[in-house]
Amino acid sequence: MGLFSFLSQEIAIDLGTANTIIIHNDKIVVDEPSIVALNRKTDKLEAIGERARQMHGKTHDNIYTIRPLRDGVIADFNAAEQMIRGMIKMINQKPRLFAPSLSMVVCIPSGSTEVEVRAVRDSSEHAGGREVHMIYEPMAAALGIGLDVEAPEGNMVVDIGGGTTEIAVISLGGIVTNKSIRIAGDDLTADIMEYMRRQHNIKVGERTAEEIKIQVGSALPELDEPPADFIVQGPNQMTALPIEVPVSYQEISHCLEKSISKIETAVLSALEQTPPELYSDIVKNGIFLAGGGALLRGLDKRLSDKINIPFHIAEDPLHAVARGTGIALKNRHRILPYLIR
C-alpha cells in the first residue's frame, strides 16, 4: 500500500476564475490566484499564481500575464494546462523518479456546455490526470457548507465566484433547478474601474479596483459598521499628473447597484422554477451564500430584505467549494452515479 500511495495521488481542484485551490489529504495545499506569466518568444512558463499576479500590469514586451479562465470556463487551453500542471507541481516539491498517477475531482460551473466540460477534462488529463471526475460548483458548495445533499429536502445555494454566479436548488443528491449567470466578482471589479474613470477621472488597474472592492465594497448604501474611506492613487486622465482620491463605501454601493440587481433577479428566477414542496423547505432553511462575492458587505441583508427569505453566509465562503470538492473526492465511489459527471 505504501508503494501504491507513493505512485498514485488523489487531489481535488477548485478551478476558479479568480483563484485555484487544490486539496490533498483533506488539507488545502495550494491556494493561488488563477494567473500565469508566459514568455512571449518561447511560450514557456515564467511564473504562476501569486508571483504572476504581482507581475500583472507591470510586464515588458517579452513577458505577458494571462488569466486562463474567463467567466468560469477555460479561455486559453495552453495557459490553463500549464497552470494546472504548475500548481500540481507545488504539491510535489520533493524530486521523484516517477510522476504520480493522479485521480482528481474538478468542479465546473453548472451552466457549462459540453464543449466547456470537455476543455476542462482535456486540460486536466494533459496535466497528468489519469482518472478525472467532474462535480458542479453549487453541489460542491453545498457539500462544503455541510448540508445533507442526499436528504429529501430542498436546499438553495448561491455561489458568487470570480466569473460566474451559480444558483441551485439541491435535493436527493441532485440539482433540481439551477441558474448560472456570468455576472460575478470580475464584473464588480470592472464596474469599479469604470466608475473611477468616469466619476473621478482617475485611471485604475484591475489590482487596484480589486483592492477597492475588498476594502470598501458594499451592497448597501447604509451599513451598521461602515469601513473607513479608501485612498486611491493614480494618474489623472486629462493631465497624467498623479492624484489622490478618497473613496467611500456609499459610492461603491452605488456603482455596484446594476450588477447586484442582476444577481437578485437570477435568484428570483431560480425560485420561480422551484417546485412548491421544495420552496417551503427553502423558506424554512434559508438560502446559503458561498464564494468570494458572499463577503461583500451587506449583501446577505440586502438579499434577505428583497426576497423575504433569510440568507446565511457560509463559514469560510472562499473555501466552501474547494472543501466540498474534497469531500466528493473522498466519497467519490459512493456518490459517483449522481454527483459527479
Side-chain angles (χ1 to χ4, degrees):
M1 281 301 290
L3 176 67
F4 182 73
S5 66
F6 182 75
L7 292 175
S8 70
Q9 217 170 32
E10 295 186 345
I11 58 171
I13 303 179
D14 172 12
L15 197 61
T17 308
N19 295 293
T20 294
I21 301 166
I22 299 180
I23 289 184
H24 177 51
N25 289 340
D26 294 340
K27 286 202 288 284
I28 292 173
V29 287
V30 174
D31 183 357
E32 297 277 340
S34 301
I35 184 166
V36 291
L38 299 171
N39 188 305
R40 207 178 285 279
K41 289 179 179 171
T42 61
D43 230 23
K44 271 177 69 181
L45 194 67
E46 293 284 339
I48 189 169
E50 184 54 39
R51 271 190 62 222
R53 193 183 79 88
Q54 287 168 1
M55 295 179 182
H56 191 49
K58 299 181 177 182
T59 56
H60 52 76
D61 284 352
N62 287 348
I63 294 175
Y64 68 101
T65 55
I66 182 166
R67 291 174 64 185
L69 288 103
R70 281 278 161 206
D71 300 330
V73 295
I74 290 173
D76 187 308
F77 192 81
N78 173 47
E81 189 187 316
Q82 297 222 46
M83 184 181 80
I84 297 168
R85 199 185 291 272
M87 288 191 178
I88 289 168
K89 272 187 190 154
M90 288 180 182
I91 312 168
N92 308 315
Q93 298 288 8
K94 295 174 192 165
R96 289 174 178 238
L97 195 58
F98 302 104
S101 166
L102 294 171
S103 294
M104 53 173 88
V105 174
V106 187
C107 62
I108 52 170
S110 58
S112 301
T113 63
E114 285 300 320
V115 174
E116 289 161 353
V117 171
R118 168 57 60 190
V120 174
R121 189 182 292 281
D122 287 353
S123 287
S124 304
E125 285 172 354
H126 286 183
R130 295 284 166 86
E131 188 189 335
V132 179
H133 297 294
M134 306 277 177
I135 179 169
Y136 284 132
E137 275 169 25
M139 182 65 84
L143 285 167
I145 290 165
L147 302 177
D148 182 359
V149 296
E150 295 179 64
E153 182 179 48
N155 283 301
M156 191 176 205
V157 176
V158 179
D159 172 33
I160 307 168
T164 60
T165 294
E166 307 281 323
I167 304 151
V169 175
I170 291 160
S171 174
L172 294 168
I175 292 174
V176 181
T177 61
N178 78 295
K179 186 104 180 138
S180 179
I181 60 163
R182 295 191 173 181
I183 300 284
D186 283 353
D187 298 271
L188 303 183
T189 306
D191 288 346
I192 292 169
M193 286 166 74
E194 173 61 23
Y195 175 82
M196 295 303 290
R197 188 185 64 77
R198 202 180 60 246
Q199 192 71 23
H200 292 293
N201 221 12
I202 183 174
K203 230 179 182 172
V204 297
E206 209 173 290
R207 279 178 64 187
T208 306
E210 183 80 22
E211 191 64 24
I212 295 168
K213 185 173 72 179
I214 292 164
Q215 298 298 334
V216 289
S218 170
L220 287 172
E222 295 297 326
L223 290 174
D224 295 338
E225 294 175 26
D229 288 1
F230 183 68
I231 306 296
V232 181
Q233 295 170 323
N236 183 310
Q237 287 208 120
M238 307 297 244
T239 62
L241 295 172
I243 52 170
E244 270 191 8
V245 175
V247 181
S248 69
Y249 77 92
Q250 286 105 334
E251 285 185 81
I252 300 304
S253 78
H254 170 69
C255 90
L256 300 181
E257 174 65 37
K258 205 186 265 183
S259 293
I260 293 168
S261 294
K262 287 178 184 170
I263 293 171
E264 278 175 359
T265 307
V267 173
L268 284 166
S269 169
L271 283 166
E272 267 174 32
Q273 298 162 19
T274 305
E277 298 296 338
L278 294 178
Y279 193 101
S280 60
D281 289 339
I282 291 163
V283 172
K284 186 178 79 198
N285 298 334
I287 296 171
F288 296 87
L289 283 171
L295 296 169
L296 194 67
R297 292 169 188 80
L299 182 64
D300 54 335
K301 187 177 184 314
R302 174 177 168 153
L303 290 168
S304 299
D305 293 349
K306 172 86 176 181
I307 296 168
N308 288 336
I309 297 174
F311 276 73
H312 313 292
I313 299 173
E315 189 187 330
D316 190 12
L318 277 169
H319 296 135
V321 173
R323 278 204 312 271
T325 312
I327 293 164
L329 173 73
K330 237 169 47 179
N331 302 300
R332 70 185 186 283
H333 298 302
R334 183 170 65 82
I335 60 182
L336 197 63
Y338 52 84
L339 273 192
I340 304 165
R341 51 181 296 167

